[in-house]
Coordinates of all heavy atoms in Angstrom, one line a residue:
R1 N -8.9 -4.5 9.9 CA -9.6 -4.2 8.7 C -8.8 -3.2 7.8 O -8.8 -3.4 6.6 CB -11.0 -3.6 9.1 CG -11.9 -3.4 7.9 CD -13.3 -3.1 8.3 NE -13.5 -1.9 9.1 CZ -13.9 -1.8 10.3 NH1 -14.4 -2.9 10.9 NH2 -14.0 -0.7 11.0
L2 N -8.2 -2.3 8.4 CA -7.4 -1.3 7.6 C -6.2 -2.0 6.9 O -6.0 -1.8 5.7 CB -6.8 -0.2 8.5 CG -5.9 0.8 7.8 CD1 -6.6 1.6 6.7 CD2 -5.2 1.7 8.8
V3 N -5.6 -2.9 7.6 CA -4.4 -3.6 7.0 C -4.9 -4.5 5.8 O -4.3 -4.6 4.8 CB -3.7 -4.5 8.1 CG1 -2.7 -5.4 7.4 CG2 -3.0 -3.5 9.0
E4 N -6.1 -5.1 6.0 CA -6.7 -5.9 4.9 C -6.9 -5.0 3.7 O -6.6 -5.3 2.5 CB -8.0 -6.5 5.4 CG -8.6 -7.4 4.3 CD -9.9 -8.0 4.8 OE1 -10.0 -8.4 6.0 OE2 -10.8 -8.2 4.0
H5 N -7.5 -3.8 3.9 CA -7.8 -2.9 2.7 C -6.4 -2.4 2.2 O -6.3 -2.3 0.9 CB -8.6 -1.7 3.2 CG -10.0 -2.0 3.5 ND1 -10.9 -2.5 2.5 CD2 -10.8 -1.8 4.6 CE1 -12.1 -2.6 3.0 NE2 -12.0 -2.2 4.3
W6 N -5.5 -2.1 3.0 CA -4.2 -1.6 2.6 C -3.5 -2.7 1.7 O -2.9 -2.4 0.7 CB -3.3 -1.2 3.8 CG -2.0 -0.7 3.4 CD1 -0.8 -1.4 3.1 CD2 -1.7 0.7 3.2 NE1 0.2 -0.5 2.8 CE2 -0.3 0.8 2.8 CE3 -2.4 1.9 3.3 CZ2 0.3 2.0 2.6 CZ3 -1.8 3.1 3.0 CH2 -0.4 3.1 2.7
S7 N -3.5 -3.9 2.2 CA -2.8 -5.0 1.5 C -3.4 -5.2 0.1 O -2.7 -5.6 -0.8 CB -2.9 -6.3 2.3 OG -2.2 -6.1 3.5
T8 N -4.7 -4.9 -0.1 CA -5.3 -5.1 -1.4 C -5.0 -3.9 -2.3 O -4.7 -4.1 -3.5 CB -6.9 -5.2 -1.2 OG1 -7.1 -6.3 -0.3 CG2 -7.6 -5.4 -2.5
A9 N -5.0 -2.7 -1.7 CA -4.9 -1.5 -2.5 C -3.4 -1.1 -2.8 O -3.1 -0.5 -3.8 CB -5.6 -0.3 -1.9
Y10 N -2.5 -1.3 -1.8 CA -1.2 -0.7 -1.9 C -0.4 -1.1 -3.2 O 0.1 -0.3 -3.9 CB -0.3 -1.1 -0.7 CG 1.1 -0.5 -0.8 CD1 1.3 0.9 -0.6 CD2 2.2 -1.3 -1.1 CE1 2.6 1.4 -0.7 CE2 3.4 -0.8 -1.2 CZ 3.6 0.6 -1.0 OH 4.9 1.1 -1.1
P11 N -0.4 -2.4 -3.6 CA 0.3 -2.8 -4.8 C -0.3 -2.0 -6.1 O 0.5 -1.6 -6.9 CB 0.1 -4.3 -5.0 CG -0.2 -4.8 -3.6 CD -0.9 -3.6 -2.9
A12 N -1.6 -1.9 -6.1 CA -2.2 -1.1 -7.3 C -1.8 0.3 -7.2 O -1.5 0.9 -8.2 CB -3.7 -1.3 -7.2
M13 N -1.8 0.9 -6.0 CA -1.5 2.4 -5.9 C 0.0 2.6 -6.3 O 0.3 3.5 -7.0 CB -1.7 2.9 -4.4 CG -3.1 2.9 -4.0 SD -3.4 3.7 -2.5 CE -2.4 2.8 -1.3
R14 N 0.9 1.7 -5.9 CA 2.3 1.8 -6.2 C 2.5 1.7 -7.7 O 3.2 2.4 -8.3 CB 3.1 0.8 -5.4 CG 4.5 0.8 -5.6 CD 5.1 2.1 -5.1 NE 6.5 2.2 -5.6 CZ 7.5 2.5 -4.8 NH1 7.4 2.7 -3.5 NH2 8.7 2.6 -5.3
T15 N 1.8 0.7 -8.3 CA 1.9 0.5 -9.7 C 1.4 1.7 -10.5 O 2.0 2.2 -11.5 CB 1.2 -0.8 -10.2 OG1 1.8 -1.9 -9.5 CG2 1.3 -1.0 -11.7
I16 N 0.3 2.3 -10.1 CA -0.3 3.5 -10.7 C 0.7 4.6 -10.6 O 1.0 5.3 -11.6 CB -1.7 3.8 -10.1 CG1 -2.7 2.8 -10.5 CG2 -2.1 5.2 -10.5 CD1 -4.0 2.9 -9.6
L17 N 1.2 4.8 -9.5 CA 2.2 5.9 -9.3 C 3.4 5.7 -10.1 O 3.9 6.6 -10.8 CB 2.6 6.1 -7.8 CG 1.5 6.8 -6.9 CD1 1.8 6.6 -5.5 CD2 1.4 8.3 -7.3
D18 N 4.0 4.5 -10.1 CA 5.2 4.2 -10.9 C 4.9 4.5 -12.4 O 5.8 5.1 -13.1 CB 5.6 2.8 -10.7 CG 6.2 2.5 -9.3 OD1 6.5 3.5 -8.6 OD2 6.4 1.3 -9.0
T19 N 3.8 4.0 -12.9 CA 3.5 4.1 -14.3 C 3.3 5.6 -14.7 O 3.8 6.1 -15.7 CB 2.2 3.4 -14.6 OG1 2.4 2.0 -14.2 CG2 1.8 3.4 -16.1
V20 N 2.5 6.4 -13.9 CA 2.3 7.8 -14.2 C 3.5 8.6 -14.1 O 3.8 9.4 -15.0 CB 1.1 8.3 -13.3 CG1 1.0 9.8 -13.5 CG2 -0.2 7.7 -13.6
I21 N 4.3 8.3 -13.1 CA 5.6 9.1 -12.9 C 6.5 8.8 -14.1 O 7.1 9.7 -14.6 CB 6.2 8.8 -11.5 CG1 5.4 9.4 -10.4 CG2 7.7 9.2 -11.5 CD1 5.8 9.0 -9.0
A22 N 6.7 7.5 -14.5 CA 7.6 7.2 -15.6 C 7.1 7.9 -16.9 O 7.9 8.4 -17.6 CB 7.6 5.7 -15.8
A23 N 5.8 7.8 -17.1 CA 5.2 8.4 -18.3 C 5.4 10.0 -18.3 O 5.8 10.6 -19.3 CB 3.8 8.1 -18.5
Q24 N 5.2 10.6 -17.2 CA 5.3 12.0 -17.1 C 6.8 12.5 -17.2 O 7.0 13.6 -17.7 CB 4.7 12.5 -15.8 CG 3.2 12.4 -15.7 CD 2.5 13.2 -16.7 OE1 2.7 14.4 -16.8 NE2 1.6 12.6 -17.5
R25 N 7.7 11.7 -16.7 CA 9.1 12.0 -16.9 C 9.5 12.0 -18.4 O 10.4 12.8 -18.8 CB 10.0 11.0 -16.1 CG 10.0 11.3 -14.6 CD 10.9 10.3 -13.9 NE 10.9 10.6 -12.5 CZ 11.3 9.7 -11.6 NH1 11.7 8.5 -12.0 NH2 11.3 10.0 -10.3
R26 N 8.9 11.1 -19.2 CA 9.2 11.1 -20.6 C 8.4 12.1 -21.4 O 8.8 12.4 -22.5 CB 8.8 9.7 -21.1 CG 9.8 8.6 -20.7 CD 9.5 7.3 -21.4 NE 8.1 6.8 -21.3 CZ 7.6 6.1 -20.4 NH1 8.3 5.6 -19.5 NH2 6.3 5.7 -20.5
A27 N 7.4 12.7 -20.8 CA 6.6 13.6 -21.6 C 7.3 14.9 -21.8 O 8.1 15.4 -20.9 CB 5.3 13.9 -20.8
E28 N 7.0 15.5 -22.9 CA 7.6 16.8 -23.2 C 7.0 17.9 -22.3 O 7.7 18.7 -21.8 CB 7.3 17.2 -24.7 CG 8.0 18.4 -25.2 CD 7.8 18.7 -26.6 OE1 7.9 17.7 -27.4 OE2 7.4 19.8 -27.0
R29 N 5.7 17.8 -22.1 CA 5.1 18.7 -21.1 C 4.2 17.9 -20.2 O 3.1 17.4 -20.5 CB 4.1 19.6 -21.9 CG 4.8 20.6 -22.9 CD 3.8 21.3 -23.6 NE 3.9 22.7 -23.3 CZ 3.2 23.7 -23.9 NH1 2.3 23.3 -24.7 NH2 3.4 24.9 -23.5
P30 N 4.7 17.7 -18.9 CA 4.0 16.9 -18.0 C 2.6 17.5 -17.7 O 2.5 18.8 -17.7 CB 4.9 17.0 -16.7 CG 6.2 17.3 -17.2 CD 6.0 18.1 -18.4
T31 N 1.6 16.7 -17.5 CA 0.3 17.2 -17.3 C -0.1 17.0 -15.8 O -1.3 17.3 -15.5 CB -0.7 16.4 -18.1 OG1 -0.6 15.0 -17.8 CG2 -0.5 16.6 -19.6
V32 N 0.8 16.6 -14.9 CA 0.5 16.5 -13.5 C 1.6 17.1 -12.7 O 2.7 17.4 -13.3 CB 0.3 15.0 -13.1 CG1 -0.9 14.3 -13.7 CG2 1.6 14.2 -13.3
D33 N 1.4 17.3 -11.5 CA 2.4 17.8 -10.6 C 3.4 16.7 -10.2 O 3.1 16.0 -9.3 CB 1.8 18.5 -9.3 CG 2.7 19.1 -8.4 OD1 4.0 19.0 -8.6 OD2 2.3 19.7 -7.4
L34 N 4.4 16.5 -11.0 CA 5.3 15.4 -10.8 C 6.0 15.4 -9.4 O 6.0 14.3 -8.8 CB 6.4 15.4 -11.9 CG 7.2 14.2 -12.2 CD1 6.3 12.9 -12.3 CD2 8.1 14.3 -13.4
P35 N 6.5 16.5 -8.9 CA 7.1 16.4 -7.6 C 6.1 15.9 -6.5 O 6.4 15.2 -5.6 CB 7.6 17.8 -7.3 CG 7.8 18.4 -8.7 CD 6.7 17.8 -9.5
R36 N 4.8 16.3 -6.6 CA 3.8 15.9 -5.7 C 3.6 14.4 -5.7 O 3.5 13.7 -4.7 CB 2.5 16.6 -5.9 CG 1.4 16.3 -4.9 CD 0.1 17.1 -5.2 NE -0.4 16.9 -6.5 CZ -1.3 15.9 -6.8 NH1 -1.7 15.1 -5.9 NH2 -1.8 15.8 -8.0
L37 N 3.6 13.8 -7.0 CA 3.4 12.4 -7.1 C 4.6 11.6 -6.6 O 4.5 10.6 -6.0 CB 3.1 12.0 -8.5 CG 1.8 12.5 -9.1 CD1 1.6 12.1 -10.5 CD2 0.6 12.1 -8.2
E38 N 5.8 12.1 -6.9 CA 7.0 11.5 -6.4 C 7.0 11.5 -4.8 O 7.4 10.5 -4.2 CB 8.2 12.2 -6.9 CG 8.4 11.9 -8.4 CD 9.5 12.8 -9.1 OE1 9.8 13.9 -8.6 OE2 10.0 12.3 -10.1
N39 N 6.6 12.6 -4.2 CA 6.5 12.7 -2.8 C 5.5 11.7 -2.3 O 5.7 11.1 -1.2 CB 6.2 14.1 -2.4 CG 6.2 14.3 -0.9 OD1 7.2 14.1 -0.2 ND2 5.1 14.8 -0.4
A40 N 4.3 11.7 -2.9 CA 3.3 10.7 -2.5 C 3.8 9.3 -2.5 O 3.5 8.5 -1.6 CB 2.0 10.9 -3.3
R41 N 4.5 8.9 -3.6 CA 5.0 7.6 -3.7 C 6.0 7.3 -2.6 O 5.9 6.2 -1.9 CB 5.7 7.4 -5.1 CG 6.2 6.0 -5.2 CD 6.8 5.8 -6.6 NE 7.9 6.7 -6.9 CZ 8.5 6.7 -8.1 NH1 8.2 5.8 -9.0 NH2 9.5 7.5 -8.3
R42 N 6.9 8.2 -2.3 CA 7.9 8.0 -1.2 C 7.2 7.9 0.1 O 7.5 7.0 0.9 CB 8.9 9.2 -1.2 CG 10.0 9.0 -0.2 CD 10.9 10.2 0.0 NE 10.2 11.2 0.8 CZ 9.8 12.4 0.4 NH1 10.0 12.8 -0.8 NH2 9.1 13.2 1.2
E43 N 6.2 8.8 0.4 CA 5.6 8.8 1.7 C 4.6 7.6 1.9 O 4.5 7.0 3.0 CB 4.8 10.1 2.0 CG 5.8 11.2 2.2 CD 5.1 12.5 2.7 OE1 4.0 12.4 3.3 OE2 5.7 13.6 2.5
L44 N 4.0 7.1 0.8 CA 3.2 5.9 0.9 C 4.1 4.7 1.2 O 3.7 3.8 2.0 CB 2.5 5.6 -0.5 CG 1.1 6.2 -0.7 CD1 0.6 6.0 -2.1 CD2 0.1 5.7 0.3
G45 N 5.3 4.7 0.7 CA 6.2 3.6 1.0 C 6.6 3.7 2.5 O 6.7 2.7 3.2
Q46 N 6.8 4.9 3.0 CA 7.1 5.1 4.4 C 5.9 4.6 5.3 O 6.2 4.0 6.3 CB 7.5 6.5 4.7 CG 8.8 7.0 4.1 CD 9.0 8.5 4.3 OE1 8.1 9.2 4.7 NE2 10.2 8.9 3.9

């Protein structure tokens, strides 16, 4: 059941993280904790 939920949600989570991280890197003043999101993206992949 977990793998089924993961398989549905993981692509969306990865896309959300990629999009937000890319936007925040371009931003003059980031509005989120960028290192935390980069770490979350790396660890979700692991």
Side-chain angles (χ1 to χ4, degrees):
R1 190 169 57 241
L2 175 67
V3 168
E4 183 179 323
H5 288 301
W6 183 272
S7 296
T8 303
Y10 180 73
M13 292 189 302
R14 181 64 192 232
T15 300
I16 290 165
L17 284 167
D18 288 347
T19 303
V20 171
I21 289 169
Q24 292 295 309
R25 284 181 179 161
R26 290 188 307 268
E28 189 175 310
R29 295 175 115 177
T31 58
V32 297
D33 183 355
L34 194 53
R36 182 176 60 88
L37 292 182
E38 290 169 334
N39 184 57
R41 179 175 63 181
R42 185 188 76 247
E43 289 190 26
L44 272 173
Q46 291 173 351

